[in-house]
Amino acid sequence: STATYPDITEIQAGSSLLMDGFHAGMAPEFERALTVATMVVGAPAGRVIVDSGSKSVGAPELTSGRGHDMRCIRFDEEHGVFEPTPSGPSSGTVMEVEPGHAHSTANWYDAHHVVEDGRVVDVRPVIPRGPGHIGVLPALVT
């Protein structure tokens, strides 16, 4: 535990909790918990194009598709482009991407949806999103 080291006065706890492509090599025993839902908007030959771009994921060059072993080609502001696998997702498929950097992804959203077994079980607002902003209220989710 870092608490046993008197010279450590600050920690960045989110790295181990959320995990991401940037930190995965440092702690491969941790699973990635943060994903961004996205939709495949095009699947021309040799490409899978999703509707989440560099404005929605941190370190896009390290971003990967959950459940799909697709190499990231590039992320533009509004779209991500992957090299598909032979059984890659088709146009219209909703999929999850695992951000390359969790910290610079998590703070871009008003709320985080906690999903267990494919079902949203909680919505946690991200409070520090500007003056007077309270995020999305959990009572609004059924």
Side-chain angles (χ1 to χ4, degrees):
S1 163
T2 56
T4 61
Y5 296 93
D7 293 335
I8 296 178
T9 59
E10 183 177 323
I11 63 169
Q12 190 172 352
S15 299
S16 298
L17 174 69
L18 297 176
M19 198 41 63
D20 56 32
F22 179 79
H23 294 95
M26 298 175 212
E29 68 275 16
F30 288 100
E31 293 180 37
R32 296 182 188 185
L34 180 68
T35 63
V36 173
T38 189
M39 180 178 283
V40 176
V41 294
R47 300 285 185 265
V48 169
I49 303 167
V50 297
D51 67 356
S52 60
S54 63
K55 291 181 178 179
S56 56
V57 296
E61 67 282 357
L62 298 174
T63 296
S64 59
R66 177 170 276 185
H68 303 281
D69 187 23
M70 299 184 302
R71 184 181 69 81
C72 174
I73 295 173
R74 73 174 191 277
F75 267 71
D76 300 324
E77 289 183 350
E78 305 293 341
H79 297 93
V81 182
F82 291 92
E83 184 177 274
T85 58
S87 61
S90 58
S91 190
T93 301
V94 175
M95 60 179 275
E96 296 172 89
V97 292
E98 297 174 338
H101 198 264
H103 307 123
S104 55
T105 299
N107 70 321
W108 290 342
Y109 294 90
D110 291 335
H112 297 163
H113 294 73
V114 180
V115 178
E116 290 179 3
D117 298 322
R119 197 172 125 265
V120 176
V121 296
D122 196 8
V123 177
R124 298 183 181 162
V126 178
I127 301 301
R129 294 284 300 157
H133 185 55
I134 60 169
V136 177
L137 298 175
L140 297 177
V141 177
T142 58

